[in-house]
Amino acid sequence: MKREYSQQNVYDALQDRLKFIFEEFDNIYLSFSGGKDSGLLLNLVLDYQQKNYPSKKIGVFHQDFEAQYTVTTEYITRTFQRIKDQVEPYWICLPMATRTALSSYEMYWYPWDDKKKESWVREMPDMDYVINLENNPMTTYHYRMHQEDLAKQFGRWYRMSHDMKKTVCLLGIRADESLQRYSGFLNKKKGYKGECWITKHFKDVWCASPLYDWSTKDVWHANYLFQYDYNHLYDLYYKAGLKVSQMRVASPFNDYSKDSLNMYRVIDPAIWTKLVGRVQGANFACIYGRTKAMGYRNVTLPEGYTWKEFTQFLLSTLPPRLRNNYEKKFSTSIQFWHETGGGLDDEAIHELQMKGYSVRRNGVSNYTRNKKSRVVFIGKIPDDTDDIKSTKDIPSWKRMCYCILKNDHTCRFMGFGITREQQHRIDLIRDKYKSIEEMDYDV
């Protein structure tokens, strides 16, 4: 889809969106991660609020993942100290399940795990507005809930603790960051009053991304123009020679950050020594994260194996819970490509047929913007598709094998989205607490 540019600049467009938000929603809070986007959004929103709604307080929600650079902690602390009298501050330090891509034996680690206080990467913050297990007012929180569920359930609790009125969470998400986020805005089906940057979470609880059309250059230009404070980790990243696309403020153990774990040893060696002992596989990923050992670049097949045999061998080495997770994903993928089929361009379909692959068309895919033809594979799934150059979005045992080598527990490499339902243990937990969403809470 072609981008359309308006005569309005992104700053003026943001002012219009903030006006819309303050007029439409009774309760407003902002999710502040400590990164450049949420930090800029926080400053811009406070400027707008003080100028146009000086008597209205917004909430500021920070989800603390325990393991982070010291300079990031300093920036977040500095920011909360500066704004604490202007906003309703919520600094969340509760145990939560956070996905890790470092280990073949653990899918999650638990920031602020009360059973591992001696292993914490840093001390628990002790400001009055820090929420932990000892002073937690969040009635919608349950112990070790998934990090994404915690963020969403905070929105429900915020609404209930603010007279049950219409609530919105402001996010610093931009379409420019990745194709996945760009597609998310583009294909939004449940916007608010026709706005693609506002999405519904629960009844009268929404999230909005008013910076969605800003570029990285816009973000840094605004910080310079308005002389805003920012996370100086980005200065260290720049001095270390990182590309803009590599400069991320996130949990060091997730899929996006594991390749840059080595930066901790350079930038923050004191924190690095704590990371090694906090999550299994951290040191291994630091050393081998950009090698064949973790599925980076070209992985060669061991002699005497096919990719299917090698995949089955790797599965046999995993703990039952992880093995079952992969087997369920792989089975779903194989069934999908045998019965439904994925959307492919005519060029890719022609190349598959010319190279002798047994495929047939199966109608039109509704998951593609230009209604590509669905293609079903007849017979066995290919061992590899290295001879196909026009697309990578086709099934093979090699692709499944890469997921295991990359510790890609969600099989994102195969096109799966992030779903927690694939885990039987989490299914049981979700069923157990399903009734909570319908309960009335005393707040």
Side-chain angles (χ1 to χ4, degrees):
M1 185 174 182
K2 190 176 181 180
R3 291 188 180 188
E4 295 182 3
Y5 293 91
S6 68
Q7 297 299 314
Q8 190 179 40
N9 63 52
V10 291
Y11 176 79
D12 290 338
L14 172 69
Q15 299 304 302
D16 290 344
R17 290 170 198 150
L18 293 180
K19 181 176 185 294
F20 179 79
I21 288 169
F22 275 81
E23 289 176 350
E24 290 288 327
F25 295 93
D26 302 293
N27 306 319
I28 301 170
Y29 74 95
L30 186 145
S31 180
F32 172 59
S33 68
K36 65 183 186 305
D37 300 322
S38 64
L40 174 65
L41 181 61
L42 174 61
N43 286 318
L44 290 169
V45 170
L46 288 179
D47 283 354
Y48 180 86
Q49 174 259 326
Q50 290 169 15
K51 180 180 178 181
N52 298 282
Y53 294 85
S55 61
K56 184 180 182 66
K57 273 195 174 184
I58 68 168
V60 176
F61 164 77
H62 173 62
Q63 194 170 4
D64 192 325
F65 291 97
E66 181 197 324
Q68 62 189 19
Y69 287 101
T70 301
V71 69
T72 296
T73 303
E74 291 171 349
Y75 167 61
I76 294 168
T77 303
R78 190 167 67 242
T79 300
F80 267 84
Q81 286 295 105
R82 173 172 58 87
I83 66 173
K84 64 180 180 179
D85 295 328
Q86 304 171 241
V87 303
E88 297 174 353
Y90 301 92
W91 186 322
I92 310 297
C93 295
L94 293 168
M96 52 189 156
T98 304
R99 194 172 296 279
T100 172
L102 304 186
S103 173
S104 296
Y105 297 92
E106 295 177 339
M107 288 187 67
Y108 300 97
W109 75 287
Y110 299 90
W112 306 116
D113 189 346
D114 56 314
K115 295 180 175 61
K116 295 185 177 180
K117 289 184 178 182
E118 72 283 353
S119 300
W120 285 355
V121 175
R122 59 183 226 274
E123 293 293 324
M124 173 80 70
D126 60 358
M127 290 75 77
D128 293 339
Y129 41 79
V130 172
I131 294 175
N132 53 42
L133 286 177
E134 296 178 0
N135 65 354
N136 178 29
M138 274 184 63
T139 51
T140 54
Y141 169 81
H142 64 260
Y143 186 61
R144 285 187 167 190
M145 69 193 304
H146 195 279
Q147 65 173 79
E148 291 159 348
D149 291 336
L150 190 155
K152 290 182 179 180
Q153 291 298 330
F154 178 85
R156 290 185 64 245
W157 173 79
Y158 192 83
R159 169 179 172 262
M160 291 187 293
S161 61
H162 289 74
D163 300 324
M164 302 293 288
K165 294 183 178 179
K166 195 160 56 173
T167 299
V168 65
C169 170
L170 304 186
L171 303 173
I173 294 177
R174 298 181 296 106
D176 191 49
E177 291 180 280
S178 68
L179 285 175
Q180 184 180 16
R181 290 187 171 178
Y182 176 77
S183 177
F185 289 114
L186 191 67
N187 299 321
K188 193 80 72 180
K189 295 180 179 179
K190 297 182 179 179
Y192 178 86
K193 294 189 175 182
E195 299 294 344
C196 69
W197 49 278
I198 305 180
T199 305
K200 187 174 184 178
H201 274 178
F202 303 102
K203 179 182 178 182
D204 286 336
V205 180
W206 301 75
C207 67
S209 304
L211 291 179
Y212 81 97
D213 55 354
W214 283 52
S215 68
T216 304
K217 290 182 178 179
D218 293 328
V219 171
W220 287 116
H221 179 69
N223 273 322
Y224 171 77
L225 187 65
F226 299 115
Q227 292 295 292
Y228 289 146
D229 187 18
Y230 64 92
N231 188 343
H232 293 290
L233 174 63
Y234 292 99
D235 296 337
L236 299 176
Y237 278 157
Y238 178 77
K239 292 176 182 178
L242 267 64
K243 300 177 183 177
V244 172
S245 60
Q246 297 173 313
M247 299 179 182
R248 301 186 63 89
V249 176
S251 169
F253 309 127
N254 66 23
D255 292 323
Y256 302 105
S257 303
K258 66 179 182 181
D259 291 342
S260 59
L261 259 178
N262 189 52
M263 292 303 300
Y264 272 89
R265 292 201 299 189
V266 178
I267 293 177
D268 203 337
I271 291 294
W272 167 248
T273 59
K274 299 286 188 67
L275 294 181
V276 172
R278 187 66 176 90
V279 173
Q280 187 177 11
N283 195 46
F284 183 88
C286 175
I287 299 171
Y288 299 108
R290 299 179 69 84
T291 70
K292 295 179 181 180
M294 295 193 71
Y296 186 79
R297 301 188 185 276
N298 295 322
V299 176
T300 55
L301 188 64
E303 186 175 352
Y305 281 92
T306 64
W307 283 108
K308 180 178 180 180
E309 292 169 344
F310 190 41
T311 301
Q312 292 172 335
F313 165 73
L314 292 175
L315 286 171
S316 70
T317 67
L318 298 176
R321 185 166 66 91
L322 286 179
R323 181 170 63 249
N324 293 338
N325 168 64
Y326 282 120
E327 287 176 343
K328 185 175 179 181
K329 288 287 189 182
F330 295 165
S331 177
T332 299
S333 176
I334 292 171
Q335 183 179 4
F336 172 80
W337 283 101
H338 276 159
E339 298 178 3
T340 305
L344 298 177
D345 291 321
D346 288 339
E347 178 187 358
I349 297 172
H350 178 70
E351 185 180 9
L352 284 167
Q353 293 171 336
M354 292 296 294
K355 294 292 177 63
Y357 290 85
S358 297
V359 297
R360 65 175 174 83
R361 295 177 188 262
N362 186 34
V364 175
S365 172
N366 293 322
Y367 297 99
T368 54
R369 292 197 302 271
N370 53 354
K371 303 297 182 182
K372 297 177 182 178
S373 296
R374 281 198 308 241
V375 173
V376 168
F377 277 71
I378 303 169
K380 296 180 179 179
I381 294 297
D383 204 51
D384 68 69
T385 55
D386 294 344
D387 56 338
I388 302 300
K389 307 302 181 184
S390 57
T391 181
K392 295 181 180 179
D393 298 328
I394 46 180
S396 70
W397 283 99
K398 182 177 181 180
R399 203 174 181 191
M400 298 182 211
C401 186
Y402 268 46
C403 288
I404 301 175
L405 291 172
K406 288 174 175 287
N407 292 324
D408 181 8
H409 304 132
T410 62
C411 296
R412 184 190 298 271
F413 184 69
M414 291 172 58
F416 281 90
I418 299 177
T419 60
R420 275 90 68 202
E421 286 75 16
Q422 79 264 15
Q423 289 300 309
H424 180 61
R425 179 185 295 183
I426 295 178
D427 283 339
L428 293 176
I429 293 173
R430 292 177 71 88
D431 288 341
K432 181 177 179 180
Y433 291 100
K434 186 176 181 180
S435 61
I436 290 179
E437 292 190 5
E438 309 301 327
M439 292 174 59
D440 293 324
Y441 296 86
D442 294 326
V443 293

